[in-house]
Amino acid sequence: WSSGRTAAPDVDGLRRALEACGADRATRREAERFTQDAMDALQEAGPRPPAADELRALAERLLRRDR
């Protein structure tokens, strides 16, 4: 990349540090809250099937993905 870095970053170390300080859990909670807000807005908009079903399924899939 533009930084000229030749070595890969310590991804596992970064992951462990983020887990140790609870950032992973906090981020998951925020994602769930934002997803619920989006689902509520979708419900209020009243889209018709099959678009509504597809949008809900996509939001759930994105929220539940592992990484």
Side-chain angles (χ1 to χ4, degrees), residues 31-60:
E32 288 173 355
R33 185 176 65 83
F34 288 138
T35 300
Q36 187 58 55
D37 289 349
M39 295 294 218
D40 292 346
L42 179 62
Q43 183 68 29
E44 285 181 36
R48 291 176 281 155
D53 299 331
E54 291 296 324
L55 287 170
R56 285 185 193 96
L58 175 61
E60 286 295 325

Side-chain angles (χ1 to χ4, degrees), residues 2-3 13 21 25 37 40 52 63:
S2 64
S3 69
C21 73
R25 290 183 302 278
D37 289 349
D40 292 346
L63 183 61

